[in-house]
Amino acid sequence: MALLEVNNISKIYKMGTVEVAALHNVSMKVEKGEWVAIMGPSGSGKTTLMNIIGCMDHATSGEINLDGISLMDVNDEQLTSIRRDKIGMVFQQFHLVPYLTALENVMVAQYYHSLPDADEALAALKRVGLEDRASHLPSQLSGGEQQRVCIARALINYPVLILADEPTGALDSKTGIDIMNLLKDLNDNGQTIILITHDLGVIAGEADRVLIMYGGRILEQG
């Protein structure tokens, strides 16, 4: 069974008497250990799909299963627990706590999952090459280093899926390549990754598959 199965999901937002369809019968599968990139212009439905896969929103209809769990059959509280236990999130904006060190920012994710463990958090920073910057505040780190802290934070609870939303969007091209190489190393070691992007150059030659979205539909898989 695939790690993620999305079957004919749609998402409709109601704005007063008007209904806006953000997704139309979207289907996709992601196998364990696969790297899938989802591309498309602004308004294509990428963010809506990410929010549903990332357990931040419910689909209006269809079926979605993550690691054997039906996401259509759970309430908001259960959805939060699944997101905490199963998914590591990496965003374009780093969302680091400015007054906490790199180590403490990683430990924040542990706090919401179980118990903070400084040794485990330091090991996660070591995986992304930042063990020597553990005591630095975000303001003392470069953009690429801050994104590495975010990746360490995403990894700390051993998620089954890393969901990366434009992870190089706030970085210069060289630093973006470094982050993509880090994600590739993680994928080579078995980590399942879904990457959301609008930039073909970001993922060319890296992802196992690229899904093209437009108008709330997946138009092409290759």
Side-chain angles (χ1 to χ4, degrees):
M1 189 170 96
L3 176 67
L4 175 71
E5 294 188 63
V6 176
N7 296 312
N8 296 315
I9 65 166
S10 296
K11 179 63 179 181
I12 297 174
Y13 294 100
K14 292 186 177 182
M15 302 177 182
T17 58
V18 178
E19 292 187 346
V20 177
L23 294 177
H24 305 268
N25 298 319
V26 170
S27 297
M28 59 180 286
K29 288 185 179 182
V30 178
E31 302 294 336
K32 185 176 181 180
E34 193 176 15
W35 180 345
V36 174
I38 300 175
M39 289 190 59
S42 297
S44 61
K46 301 189 309 296
T47 298
T48 301
L49 181 58
M50 182 202 72
N51 287 342
I52 293 172
I53 294 173
C55 299
M56 293 179 284
D57 199 2
H58 284 281
T60 303
S61 61
E63 184 62 43
I64 177 167
N65 289 275
L66 175 64
D67 201 25
I69 301 171
S70 173
L71 302 186
M72 300 296 284
D73 297 332
V74 298
N75 59 34
D76 289 342
E77 183 177 352
Q78 292 168 318
L79 208 61
T80 298
S81 296
I82 295 167
R83 181 173 69 248
R84 180 193 64 207
D85 295 338
K86 300 285 186 180
I87 299 172
M89 305 289 296
V90 180
F91 299 98
Q92 177 177 346
Q93 303 301 325
F94 313 125
H95 300 302
L96 298 175
V97 182
Y99 53 83
L100 296 181
T101 66
L103 182 67
E104 291 165 340
N105 266 284
V106 174
M107 292 173 68
V108 165
Q110 289 179 307
Y111 175 81
Y112 289 107
H113 183 266
S114 53
L115 291 174
D117 185 313
D119 290 337
E120 278 196 358
L122 187 61
L125 286 173
K126 186 175 182 178
R127 286 185 70 184
V128 300
L130 274 188
E131 67 271 27
D132 61 338
R133 309 287 276 174
S135 62
H136 287 63
L137 296 172
S139 61
Q140 298 170 313
L141 301 173
S142 69
E145 288 171 335
Q146 290 185 62
Q147 191 62 290
R148 286 174 181 268
V149 174
C150 295
I151 293 171
R153 182 179 61 189
L155 292 170
I156 191 62
N157 295 322
Y158 306 100
V160 298
L161 174 66
I162 292 287
L163 188 57
D165 182 22
E166 303 279 5
T168 64
L171 305 175
D172 63 79
S173 58
K174 180 183 181 302
T175 305
I177 290 171
D178 290 341
I179 293 299
M180 292 303 295
N181 286 336
L182 173 58
L183 292 174
K184 185 177 187 305
D185 287 343
L186 294 172
N187 179 245
D188 287 344
N189 283 285
Q191 181 67 62
T192 309
I193 297 173
I194 297 177
L195 184 143
I196 311 294
T197 185
H198 68 278
D199 185 357
L200 179 60
V202 168
I203 48 79
E206 302 296 350
D208 297 315
R209 285 189 294 132
V210 180
L211 311 184
I212 307 298
M213 292 195 70
Y214 191 83
R217 294 177 171 86
I218 292 179
L219 300 184
E220 182 179 347
Q221 302 192 34

PDB file of all heavy atoms in Angstrom, residues 93-102 104-106 108 130 136-139 141-143 145-151 153:
ATOM      1  N   GLN A  93       9.031  30.572   4.479  1.00  0.00           N
ATOM      2  CA  GLN A  93       9.404  31.425   5.606  1.00  0.00           C
ATOM      3  C   GLN A  93       9.721  30.512   6.781  1.00  0.00           C
ATOM      4  O   GLN A  93       8.981  29.580   7.062  1.00  0.00           O
ATOM      5  CB  GLN A  93       8.273  32.392   5.943  1.00  0.00           C
ATOM      6  CG  GLN A  93       7.849  33.277   4.779  1.00  0.00           C
ATOM      7  CD  GLN A  93       8.991  34.133   4.245  1.00  0.00           C
ATOM      8  OE1 GLN A  93       9.853  34.579   4.993  1.00  0.00           O
ATOM      9  NE2 GLN A  93       9.002  34.354   2.936  1.00  0.00           N
ATOM     10  N   PHE A  94      10.791  30.797   7.493  1.00  0.00           N
ATOM     11  CA  PHE A  94      11.359  29.807   8.388  1.00  0.00           C
ATOM     12  C   PHE A  94      10.543  29.564   9.663  1.00  0.00           C
ATOM     13  O   PHE A  94      10.573  28.490  10.236  1.00  0.00           O
ATOM     14  CB  PHE A  94      12.791  30.211   8.758  1.00  0.00           C
ATOM     15  CG  PHE A  94      13.613  30.614   7.564  1.00  0.00           C
ATOM     16  CD1 PHE A  94      14.246  31.843   7.515  1.00  0.00           C
ATOM     17  CD2 PHE A  94      13.730  29.765   6.475  1.00  0.00           C
ATOM     18  CE1 PHE A  94      14.995  32.216   6.413  1.00  0.00           C
ATOM     19  CE2 PHE A  94      14.475  30.126   5.362  1.00  0.00           C
ATOM     20  CZ  PHE A  94      15.111  31.360   5.333  1.00  0.00           C
ATOM     21  N   HIS A  95       9.819  30.568  10.132  1.00  0.00           N
ATOM     22  CA  HIS A  95       8.978  30.439  11.320  1.00  0.00           C
ATOM     23  C   HIS A  95       9.778  29.942  12.535  1.00  0.00           C
ATOM     24  O   HIS A  95       9.299  29.096  13.307  1.00  0.00           O
ATOM     25  CB  HIS A  95       7.788  29.497  11.054  1.00  0.00           C
ATOM     26  CG  HIS A  95       6.895  29.962   9.950  1.00  0.00           C
ATOM     27  ND1 HIS A  95       6.255  31.176   9.956  1.00  0.00           N
ATOM     28  CD2 HIS A  95       6.543  29.360   8.778  1.00  0.00           C
ATOM     29  CE1 HIS A  95       5.545  31.324   8.856  1.00  0.00           C
ATOM     30  NE2 HIS A  95       5.708  30.236   8.118  1.00  0.00           N
ATOM     31  N   LEU A  96      10.982  30.474  12.703  1.00  0.00           N
ATOM     32  CA  LEU A  96      11.765  30.184  13.903  1.00  0.00           C
ATOM     33  C   LEU A  96      11.428  31.186  14.988  1.00  0.00           C
ATOM     34  O   LEU A  96      11.103  32.344  14.708  1.00  0.00           O
ATOM     35  CB  LEU A  96      13.261  30.245  13.583  1.00  0.00           C
ATOM     36  CG  LEU A  96      13.777  29.226  12.555  1.00  0.00           C
ATOM     37  CD1 LEU A  96      15.240  29.486  12.248  1.00  0.00           C
ATOM     38  CD2 LEU A  96      13.568  27.804  13.040  1.00  0.00           C
ATOM     39  N   VAL A  97      11.493  30.748  16.239  1.00  0.00           N
ATOM     40  CA  VAL A  97      11.248  31.645  17.375  1.00  0.00           C
ATOM     41  C   VAL A  97      12.506  32.492  17.553  1.00  0.00           C
ATOM     42  O   VAL A  97      13.589  31.948  17.820  1.00  0.00           O
ATOM     43  CB  VAL A  97      10.937  30.851  18.654  1.00  0.00           C
ATOM     44  CG1 VAL A  97      10.644  31.814  19.806  1.00  0.00           C
ATOM     45  CG2 VAL A  97       9.764  29.903  18.418  1.00  0.00           C
ATOM     46  N   PRO A  98      12.415  33.819  17.409  1.00  0.00           N
ATOM     47  CA  PRO A  98      13.630  34.647  17.334  1.00  0.00           C
ATOM     48  C   PRO A  98      14.477  34.678  18.595  1.00  0.00           C
ATOM     49  O   PRO A  98      15.682  34.907  18.520  1.00  0.00           O
ATOM     50  CB  PRO A  98      13.087  36.044  17.002  1.00  0.00           C
ATOM     51  CG  PRO A  98      11.651  36.015  17.428  1.00  0.00           C
ATOM     52  CD  PRO A  98      11.191  34.616  17.209  1.00  0.00           C
ATOM     53  N   TYR A  99      13.861  34.443  19.757  1.00  0.00           N
ATOM     54  CA  TYR A  99      14.618  34.530  21.010  1.00  0.00           C
ATOM     55  C   TYR A  99      15.098  33.160  21.497  1.00  0.00           C
ATOM     56  O   TYR A  99      15.659  33.049  22.578  1.00  0.00           O
ATOM     57  CB  TYR A  99      13.781  35.213  22.101  1.00  0.00           C
ATOM     58  CG  TYR A  99      12.414  34.605  22.327  1.00  0.00           C
ATOM     59  CD1 TYR A  99      12.247  33.492  23.138  1.00  0.00           C
ATOM     60  CD2 TYR A  99      11.293  35.164  21.722  1.00  0.00           C
ATOM     61  CE1 TYR A  99      10.999  32.931  23.336  1.00  0.00           C
ATOM     62  CE2 TYR A  99      10.031  34.607  21.912  1.00  0.00           C
ATOM     63  CZ  TYR A  99       9.901  33.496  22.721  1.00  0.00           C
ATOM     64  OH  TYR A  99       8.662  32.953  22.915  1.00  0.00           O
ATOM     65  N   LEU A 100      14.899  32.121  20.682  1.00  0.00           N
ATOM     66  CA  LEU A 100      15.399  30.788  21.022  1.00  0.00           C
ATOM     67  C   LEU A 100      16.585  30.438  20.127  1.00  0.00           C
ATOM     68  O   LEU A 100      16.644  30.841  18.964  1.00  0.00           O
ATOM     69  CB  LEU A 100      14.305  29.733  20.839  1.00  0.00           C
ATOM     70  CG  LEU A 100      13.072  29.843  21.727  1.00  0.00           C
ATOM     71  CD1 LEU A 100      12.110  28.696  21.430  1.00  0.00           C
ATOM     72  CD2 LEU A 100      13.444  29.862  23.205  1.00  0.00           C
ATOM     73  N   THR A 101      17.529  29.684  20.657  1.00  0.00           N
ATOM     74  CA  THR A 101      18.668  29.233  19.879  1.00  0.00           C
ATOM     75  C   THR A 101      18.225  28.190  18.843  1.00  0.00           C
ATOM     76  O   THR A 101      17.093  27.701  18.888  1.00  0.00           O
ATOM     77  CB  THR A 101      19.746  28.612  20.776  1.00  0.00           C
ATOM     78  OG1 THR A 101      19.216  27.401  21.366  1.00  0.00           O
ATOM     79  CG2 THR A 101      20.184  29.576  21.873  1.00  0.00           C
ATOM     80  N   ALA A 102      19.144  27.860  17.948  1.00  0.00           N
ATOM     81  CA  ALA A 102      18.851  26.818  16.962  1.00  0.00           C
ATOM     82  C   ALA A 102      18.452  25.519  17.653  1.00  0.00           C
ATOM     83  O   ALA A 102      17.473  24.860  17.266  1.00  0.00           O
ATOM     84  CB  ALA A 102      20.068  26.597  16.064  1.00  0.00           C
ATOM     85  N   GLU A 104      17.189  25.117  20.681  1.00  0.00           N
ATOM     86  CA  GLU A 104      15.894  25.271  21.350  1.00  0.00           C
ATOM     87  C   GLU A 104      14.749  25.285  20.343  1.00  0.00           C
ATOM     88  O   GLU A 104      13.657  24.786  20.633  1.00  0.00           O
ATOM     89  CB  GLU A 104      15.902  26.542  22.192  1.00  0.00           C
ATOM     90  CG  GLU A 104      16.823  26.449  23.401  1.00  0.00           C
ATOM     91  CD  GLU A 104      17.112  27.801  24.040  1.00  0.00           C
ATOM     92  OE1 GLU A 104      16.935  28.844  23.368  1.00  0.00           O
ATOM     93  OE2 GLU A 104      17.535  27.817  25.209  1.00  0.00           O
ATOM     94  N   ASN A 105      14.977  25.858  19.144  1.00  0.00           N
ATOM     95  CA  ASN A 105      13.938  25.848  18.119  1.00  0.00           C
ATOM     96  C   ASN A 105      13.617  24.430  17.681  1.00  0.00           C
ATOM     97  O   ASN A 105      12.447  24.110  17.412  1.00  0.00           O
ATOM     98  CB  ASN A 105      14.374  26.690  16.916  1.00  0.00           C
ATOM     99  CG  ASN A 105      13.883  28.128  16.998  1.00  0.00           C
ATOM    100  OD1 ASN A 105      12.710  28.406  16.765  1.00  0.00           O
ATOM    101  ND2 ASN A 105      14.784  29.032  17.358  1.00  0.00           N
ATOM    102  N   VAL A 106      14.611  23.564  17.610  1.00  0.00           N
ATOM    103  CA  VAL A 106      14.359  22.171  17.278  1.00  0.00           C
ATOM    104  C   VAL A 106      13.612  21.483  18.416  1.00  0.00           C
ATOM    105  O   VAL A 106      12.686  20.693  18.193  1.00  0.00           O
ATOM    106  CB  VAL A 106      15.671  21.438  16.964  1.00  0.00           C
ATOM    107  CG1 VAL A 106      15.431  19.950  16.751  1.00  0.00           C
ATOM    108  CG2 VAL A 106      16.339  22.043  15.730  1.00  0.00           C
ATOM    109  N   VAL A 108      11.513  22.730  20.428  1.00  0.00           N
ATOM    110  CA  VAL A 108      10.108  23.146  20.494  1.00  0.00           C
ATOM    111  C   VAL A 108       9.214  22.081  19.864  1.00  0.00           C
ATOM    112  O   VAL A 108       8.140  21.748  20.391  1.00  0.00           O
ATOM    113  CB  VAL A 108       9.908  24.510  19.795  1.00  0.00           C
ATOM    114  CG1 VAL A 108       8.422  24.768  19.545  1.00  0.00           C
ATOM    115  CG2 VAL A 108      10.486  25.630  20.640  1.00  0.00           C
ATOM    116  N   LEU A 130      24.719  21.427  11.214  1.00  0.00           N
ATOM    117  CA  LEU A 130      24.666  22.665  12.004  1.00  0.00           C
ATOM    118  C   LEU A 130      24.972  22.467  13.480  1.00  0.00           C
ATOM    119  O   LEU A 130      24.619  23.324  14.283  1.00  0.00           O
ATOM    120  CB  LEU A 130      23.274  23.306  11.877  1.00  0.00           C
ATOM    121  CG  LEU A 130      23.018  24.229  10.691  1.00  0.00           C
ATOM    122  CD1 LEU A 130      21.670  24.915  10.860  1.00  0.00           C
ATOM    123  CD2 LEU A 130      24.100  25.276  10.527  1.00  0.00           C
ATOM    124  N   HIS A 136      23.367  29.422  18.511  1.00  0.00           N
ATOM    125  CA  HIS A 136      23.135  30.699  17.841  1.00  0.00           C
ATOM    126  C   HIS A 136      21.647  30.997  17.718  1.00  0.00           C
ATOM    127  O   HIS A 136      20.828  30.097  17.494  1.00  0.00           O
ATOM    128  CB  HIS A 136      23.758  30.690  16.443  1.00  0.00           C
ATOM    129  CG  HIS A 136      25.246  30.773  16.445  1.00  0.00           C
ATOM    130  ND1 HIS A 136      26.060  29.804  17.014  1.00  0.00           N
ATOM    131  CD2 HIS A 136      26.088  31.716  15.949  1.00  0.00           C
ATOM    132  CE1 HIS A 136      27.329  30.141  16.865  1.00  0.00           C
ATOM    133  NE2 HIS A 136      27.376  31.288  16.219  1.00  0.00           N
ATOM    134  N   LEU A 137      21.300  32.281  17.833  1.00  0.00           N
ATOM    135  CA  LEU A 137      19.935  32.740  17.598  1.00  0.00           C
ATOM    136  C   LEU A 137      19.690  32.822  16.089  1.00  0.00           C
ATOM    137  O   LEU A 137      20.640  32.934  15.301  1.00  0.00           O
ATOM    138  CB  LEU A 137      19.719  34.108  18.228  1.00  0.00           C
ATOM    139  CG  LEU A 137      19.826  34.187  19.747  1.00  0.00           C
ATOM    140  CD1 LEU A 137      19.779  35.642  20.202  1.00  0.00           C
ATOM    141  CD2 LEU A 137      18.708  33.389  20.412  1.00  0.00           C
ATOM    142  N   PRO A 138      18.427  32.797  15.654  1.00  0.00           N
ATOM    143  CA  PRO A 138      18.140  32.914  14.223  1.00  0.00           C
ATOM    144  C   PRO A 138      18.783  34.138  13.572  1.00  0.00           C
ATOM    145  O   PRO A 138      19.234  34.059  12.426  1.00  0.00           O
ATOM    146  CB  PRO A 138      16.605  32.989  14.183  1.00  0.00           C
ATOM    147  CG  PRO A 138      16.183  32.182  15.365  1.00  0.00           C
ATOM    148  CD  PRO A 138      17.206  32.495  16.420  1.00  0.00           C
ATOM    149  N   SER A 139      18.816  35.255  14.290  1.00  0.00           N
ATOM    150  CA  SER A 139      19.413  36.475  13.734  1.00  0.00           C
ATOM    151  C   SER A 139      20.908  36.338  13.487  1.00  0.00           C
ATOM    152  O   SER A 139      21.504  37.149  12.770  1.00  0.00           O
ATOM    153  CB  SER A 139      19.151  37.659  14.671  1.00  0.00           C
ATOM    154  OG  SER A 139      19.742  37.434  15.941  1.00  0.00           O
ATOM    155  N   LEU A 141      22.193  33.585  12.178  1.00  0.00           N
ATOM    156  CA  LEU A 141      22.325  32.538  11.168  1.00  0.00           C
ATOM    157  C   LEU A 141      21.978  33.091   9.791  1.00  0.00           C
ATOM    158  O   LEU A 141      21.139  33.996   9.655  1.00  0.00           O
ATOM    159  CB  LEU A 141      21.385  31.369  11.479  1.00  0.00           C
ATOM    160  CG  LEU A 141      21.581  30.664  12.830  1.00  0.00           C
ATOM    161  CD1 LEU A 141      20.458  29.655  13.051  1.00  0.00           C
ATOM    162  CD2 LEU A 141      22.946  29.994  12.903  1.00  0.00           C
ATOM    163  N   SER A 142      22.610  32.552   8.766  1.00  0.00           N
ATOM    164  CA  SER A 142      22.250  32.919   7.395  1.00  0.00           C
ATOM    165  C   SER A 142      20.900  32.301   7.036  1.00  0.00           C
ATOM    166  O   SER A 142      20.372  31.450   7.766  1.00  0.00           O
ATOM    167  CB  SER A 142      23.321  32.410   6.429  1.00  0.00           C
ATOM    168  OG  SER A 142      23.293  30.985   6.368  1.00  0.00           O
ATOM    169  N   GLY A 143      20.347  32.729   5.896  1.00  0.00           N
ATOM    170  CA  GLY A 143      19.066  32.163   5.468  1.00  0.00           C
ATOM    171  C   GLY A 143      19.149  30.664   5.264  1.00  0.00           C
ATOM    172  O   GLY A 143      18.245  29.922   5.668  1.00  0.00           O
ATOM    173  N   GLU A 145      21.217  28.604   6.737  1.00  0.00           N
ATOM    174  CA  GLU A 145      21.346  27.957   8.044  1.00  0.00           C
ATOM    175  C   GLU A 145      20.007  27.910   8.760  1.00  0.00           C
ATOM    176  O   GLU A 145      19.675  26.911   9.412  1.00  0.00           O
ATOM    177  CB  GLU A 145      22.385  28.699   8.878  1.00  0.00           C
ATOM    178  CG  GLU A 145      23.814  28.478   8.399  1.00  0.00           C
ATOM    179  CD  GLU A 145      24.824  29.372   9.094  1.00  0.00           C
ATOM    180  OE1 GLU A 145      24.431  30.468   9.573  1.00  0.00           O
ATOM    181  OE2 GLU A 145      26.001  29.000   9.157  1.00  0.00           O
ATOM    182  N   GLN A 146      19.221  28.982   8.639  1.00  0.00           N
ATOM    183  CA  GLN A 146      17.893  28.976   9.256  1.00  0.00           C
ATOM    184  C   GLN A 146      17.012  27.887   8.632  1.00  0.00           C
ATOM    185  O   GLN A 146      16.272  27.201   9.346  1.00  0.00           O
ATOM    186  CB  GLN A 146      17.235  30.347   9.099  1.00  0.00           C
ATOM    187  CG  GLN A 146      17.890  31.440   9.930  1.00  0.00           C
ATOM    188  CD  GLN A 146      17.136  32.753   9.831  1.00  0.00           C
ATOM    189  OE1 GLN A 146      15.983  32.864  10.215  1.00  0.00           O
ATOM    190  NE2 GLN A 146      17.808  33.766   9.292  1.00  0.00           N
ATOM    191  N   GLN A 147      17.111  27.714   7.318  1.00  0.00           N
ATOM    192  CA  GLN A 147      16.314  26.669   6.681  1.00  0.00           C
ATOM    193  C   GLN A 147      16.786  25.284   7.118  1.00  0.00           C
ATOM    194  O   GLN A 147      15.973  24.360   7.269  1.00  0.00           O
ATOM    195  CB  GLN A 147      16.365  26.812   5.160  1.00  0.00           C
ATOM    196  CG  GLN A 147      15.377  25.941   4.404  1.00  0.00           C
ATOM    197  CD  GLN A 147      13.926  26.257   4.742  1.00  0.00           C
ATOM    198  OE1 GLN A 147      13.458  25.973   5.862  1.00  0.00           O
ATOM    199  NE2 GLN A 147      13.209  26.842   3.796  1.00  0.00           N
ATOM    200  N   ARG A 148      18.073  25.123   7.359  1.00  0.00           N
ATOM    201  CA  ARG A 148      18.575  23.845   7.876  1.00  0.00           C
ATOM    202  C   ARG A 148      18.026  23.568   9.275  1.00  0.00           C
ATOM    203  O   ARG A 148      17.722  22.422   9.617  1.00  0.00           O
ATOM    204  CB  ARG A 148      20.109  23.848   7.889  1.00  0.00           C
ATOM    205  CG  ARG A 148      20.725  23.697   6.514  1.00  0.00           C
ATOM    206  CD  ARG A 148      22.240  23.846   6.531  1.00  0.00           C
ATOM    207  NE  ARG A 148      22.783  23.727   5.193  1.00  0.00           N
ATOM    208  CZ  ARG A 148      23.202  22.595   4.643  1.00  0.00           C
ATOM    209  NH1 ARG A 148      23.182  21.471   5.348  1.00  0.00           N
ATOM    210  NH2 ARG A 148      23.676  22.570   3.404  1.00  0.00           N
ATOM    211  N   VAL A 149      17.913  24.609  10.085  1.00  0.00           N
ATOM    212  CA  VAL A 149      17.289  24.441  11.407  1.00  0.00           C
ATOM    213  C   VAL A 149      15.845  23.967  11.227  1.00  0.00           C
ATOM    214  O   VAL A 149      15.378  23.070  11.943  1.00  0.00           O
ATOM    215  CB  VAL A 149      17.332  25.749  12.225  1.00  0.00           C
ATOM    216  CG1 VAL A 149      16.544  25.593  13.536  1.00  0.00           C
ATOM    217  CG2 VAL A 149      18.768  26.146  12.528  1.00  0.00           C
ATOM    218  N   CYS A 150      15.143  24.550  10.255  1.00  0.00           N
ATOM    219  CA  CYS A 150      13.756  24.143   9.995  1.00  0.00           C
ATOM    220  C   CYS A 150      13.679  22.681   9.580  1.00  0.00           C
ATOM    221  O   CYS A 150      12.759  21.957   9.985  1.00  0.00           O
ATOM    222  CB  CYS A 150      13.154  25.020   8.906  1.00  0.00           C
ATOM    223  SG  CYS A 150      12.982  26.753   9.361  1.00  0.00           S
ATOM    224  N   ILE A 151      14.640  22.241   8.771  1.00  0.00           N
ATOM    225  CA  ILE A 151      14.645  20.848   8.343  1.00  0.00           C
ATOM    226  C   ILE A 151      14.947  19.937   9.525  1.00  0.00           C
ATOM    227  O   ILE A 151      14.319  18.882   9.690  1.00  0.00           O
ATOM    228  CB  ILE A 151      15.657  20.645   7.198  1.00  0.00           C
ATOM    229  CG1 ILE A 151      15.172  21.400   5.950  1.00  0.00           C
ATOM    230  CG2 ILE A 151      15.833  19.164   6.878  1.00  0.00           C
ATOM    231  CD1 ILE A 151      16.180  21.443   4.826  1.00  0.00           C
ATOM    232  N   ARG A 153      14.222  20.587  12.589  1.00  0.00           N
ATOM    233  CA  ARG A 153      12.984  20.606  13.379  1.00  0.00           C
ATOM    234  C   ARG A 153      11.942  19.676  12.771  1.00  0.00           C
ATOM    235  O   ARG A 153      11.207  18.977  13.487  1.00  0.00           O
ATOM    236  CB  ARG A 153      12.441  22.038  13.438  1.00  0.00           C
ATOM    237  CG  ARG A 153      11.188  22.233  14.262  1.00  0.00           C
ATOM    238  CD  ARG A 153      10.763  23.691  14.255  1.00  0.00           C
ATOM    239  NE  ARG A 153      10.463  24.161  12.905  1.00  0.00           N
ATOM    240  CZ  ARG A 153      10.238  25.440  12.600  1.00  0.00           C
ATOM    241  NH1 ARG A 153      10.300  26.371  13.535  1.00  0.00           N
ATOM    242  NH2 ARG A 153       9.965  25.788  11.351  1.00  0.00           N
TER     243      ARG A 153
END
